[in-house]
Amino acid sequence: MTDHLIGLLLGAEEDWPQAFEQILRRVGPLSYDGDQHTVSSERLTIEPFNLTDPVRTDLVIDRLAYWYYHPREWLKKASLVNGTYLLNSPFTFQSMEKHSAYCAMLRLGLHVPDTILVPYKNPIDNVRWAYTAAKYNQSFDLDQLADQLGYPLYMKPFDGGGWRGVSRVDDRGDLHRAYDESGEMLMHLQATVDYDHFARALSIGAETMVMDFRPDQPMHNRYAVSHGFLSESAGKQAVAISRIVNAFFRWEFNSAEMLVKGDDVYPIDYANACPDVAVTSLHYYFPWAIKALVKWSVYCVVTGRRGSVDLSTRAYFDIADSDRSYDEKLDAYLDLADAYFETDRYADWCSDHLPHLDEAVHEWVTGPDFDRLLRETVQATYPAHEQDQFMAHFRGLIGLWADDQSSA
């Protein structure tokens, strides 16, 4: 019997960790490669550690280290010294911002909107900045850059997340107001697209869900339950591009945003170290997300999948530099991504070893334990006079998911 332990490194979240723990308990012992395997989880604590300390967890789902350095350094130690599998690896954090993802996607020939990086509005907090700025900073015409991109455009931090510091710029007044308010944030100016749909893709390991996202709505209403809202070609591209950029950077738990016009897909944000998996935002898609996270985590620890920070960029660039068409390049990139995520092996393994999980998740989601979790989350999120309204809202959406699963 081999016992595997998954560690949850958490911030302020309570809903999805409880769901993950509940669903993981329903996995049960698994027979694989001549052995019996059990998989459990624990929430990790923050404390001093010796660089030679053993690490009990086979895999860590990290939701904290992107912004908290102490657990980040523990994760690096766990990976380098102990071989712990990480979702996501802190060695990729320097790339896990908009700028690196834009550059990689442009190099691969994907349709990133025209983007310009502009210098800081205000001096950064460094004693050497004044000298460097006075000697080397070139003056530039912000209005001319915006005219080059065309209005409307967006100003956004190069490393932003959660819509921090993002401004829609409709004219020169908006432009200077947004730049003045950017302070010490390093900003992109990015052209926009007259789009039909704003799509958001959540990728967990070898699985991806593309959702109809409405950023102008309140969070509980942003993910529309809308199947087939993209054309066949755009839907294929949205899934493929999400998985390609994840495989390129070795990200295994990430969300992506794209603007879609007809059959054309324009990536605008493909790097999120802590993608949204809250029940009060994902609602209908929440059971899929937690089930996918459980399946990928169990697959990794039971099959002994090894973590890697080696980026095989040359294989991608060879495709980019070839004379293939855009669609042919996407297919070739996707072959590389499927190889990294072991897509076919993963699907076969889940079919052989987790055939009961769909029914177990459906039973839990339609039972009293999930309803208790939902009520606790709503009570912690919304004022008392709105709680009954939101309970009915989320129960309805989760009930729709359950009905759809029963029909399928």
Side-chain angles (χ1 to χ4, degrees):
M1 175 74 74
T2 301
D3 299 320
H4 304 278
L5 183 63
I6 295 171
L8 305 182
L9 188 57
L10 305 172
E13 304 150 303
E14 277 296 331
D15 53 351
W16 80 259
Q18 289 189 54
F20 182 92
E21 291 159 349
Q22 289 282 348
I23 293 174
L24 185 62
R25 292 188 189 109
R26 287 160 169 77
V27 167
L30 302 174
S31 296
Y32 175 72
D33 201 22
D35 194 7
Q36 287 287 106
H37 299 260
T38 64
V39 186
S40 58
S41 66
E42 72 174 17
R43 301 189 184 195
L44 301 179
T45 56
I46 300 166
E47 53 196 280
F49 62 90
N50 189 296
L51 303 193
T52 60
D53 283 345
V55 172
R56 297 169 51 241
T57 50
D58 300 84
L59 179 148
V60 175
I61 300 173
D62 166 43
R63 304 283 291 182
L64 186 61
Y66 187 69
W67 56 271
Y68 195 3
Y69 285 172
H70 186 279
R72 179 187 300 190
E73 301 314 305
W74 179 82
L75 286 175
K76 291 178 183 176
K77 165 263 190 300
S79 175
L80 291 171
V81 178
N82 309 97
T84 304
Y85 200 98
L86 305 178
L87 303 183
N88 284 301
S89 169
F91 297 108
T92 68
F93 283 175
Q94 183 59 43
S95 299
M96 193 159 254
E97 23 83 342
K98 293 180 176 70
H99 188 78
S100 294
Y102 290 156
C103 293
M105 288 183 288
L106 283 168
R107 181 67 175 86
L108 299 186
L110 306 185
H111 302 316
V112 177
D114 200 8
T115 305
I116 297 172
L117 184 71
V118 295
Y120 295 100
K121 169 63 180 179
N122 294 337
I124 58 175
D125 186 15
N126 187 304
V127 294
R128 290 163 293 196
W129 173 256
Y131 177 85
T132 300
K135 187 168 184 178
Y136 297 111
N137 269 26
Q138 292 292 313
S139 61
F140 66 97
D141 188 330
L142 186 64
D143 293 316
Q144 185 180 45
L145 295 178
D147 290 341
Q148 176 183 326
L149 295 175
Y151 293 101
L153 57 88
Y154 282 86
M155 185 179 293
K156 57 178 90 170
F158 85 105
D159 62 345
W163 297 80
R164 171 181 63 86
V166 176
S167 300
R168 177 183 167 94
V169 175
D170 290 312
D171 52 37
R172 291 191 173 190
D174 289 346
L175 175 71
H176 288 274
R177 188 179 310 109
Y179 189 53
D180 289 344
E181 292 173 355
S182 67
E184 293 185 3
M185 291 188 290
L186 188 60
M187 307 299 282
H188 279 135
L189 301 179
Q190 187 171 75
T192 190
V193 174
D194 182 20
Y195 61 91
D196 300 322
H197 298 283
F198 191 124
R200 190 166 197 171
L202 177 60
S203 291
I204 300 171
E207 298 192 47
T208 296
M209 180 68 71
V210 178
M211 297 165 282
D212 190 355
F213 192 64
R214 301 174 298 187
D216 56 329
Q217 294 290 313
M219 184 56 74
H220 69 275
N221 235 3
R222 286 186 182 175
Y223 293 92
V225 181
S226 176
H227 307 303
F229 69 99
L230 298 179
S231 70
E232 182 178 353
S233 174
K236 178 184 176 182
Q237 291 177 60
V239 172
I241 295 170
S242 301
R243 295 178 56 204
I244 288 164
V245 75
N246 288 340
F248 184 94
F249 284 114
R250 304 309 193 229
W251 299 333
E252 300 185 10
F253 189 13
N254 185 35
S255 64
E257 296 172 357
M258 62 211 88
L259 305 179
V260 183
K261 178 69 173 178
D263 288 340
D264 296 323
V265 178
Y266 300 88
I268 60 168
D269 186 359
Y270 267 73
N272 193 335
C274 297
D276 179 17
V277 285
V279 65
T280 49
S281 52
L282 288 187
H283 46 74
Y284 177 93
Y285 299 102
F286 181 78
W288 168 83
I290 304 306
K291 182 168 60 174
L293 189 56
V294 167
K295 287 163 62 181
W296 183 251
S297 300
V298 171
Y299 171 77
C300 289
V301 297
V302 172
T303 65
R305 177 175 164 87
R306 305 295 293 271
S308 172
V309 294
D310 299 324
L311 305 184
S312 305
T313 55
R314 177 45 52 192
Y316 288 87
F317 295 159
D318 286 343
I319 296 169
D321 295 338
S322 71
D323 60 359
R324 306 183 208 195
S325 70
Y326 180 77
D327 288 340
E328 288 171 339
K329 288 181 179 181
L330 273 190
D331 289 340
Y333 295 144
L334 191 55
D335 286 342
L336 295 178
D338 283 337
Y340 174 73
F341 287 115
E342 304 172 356
T343 302
D344 291 339
R345 182 187 182 213
Y346 166 76
D348 291 342
W349 190 90
C350 289
S351 179
D352 291 341
H353 298 282
L354 299 174
H356 61 291
L357 197 59
D358 287 345
E359 184 176 346
V361 171
H362 186 278
E363 180 182 358
W364 179 70
V365 168
T366 56
D369 280 346
F370 179 82
D371 198 66
R372 172 196 54 77
L373 181 152
L374 184 61
R375 179 164 290 281
E376 288 177 355
T377 305
V378 167
Q379 289 173 343
T381 307
Y382 300 103
H385 68 280
E386 295 181 350
Q387 290 171 9
D388 287 345
Q389 166 196 340
F390 281 107
M391 278 300 296
H393 175 74
F394 294 123
R395 278 174 174 160
L397 289 165
I398 294 295
L400 178 61
W401 173 85
D403 291 344
D404 286 348
Q405 299 305 299
S406 297
S407 299

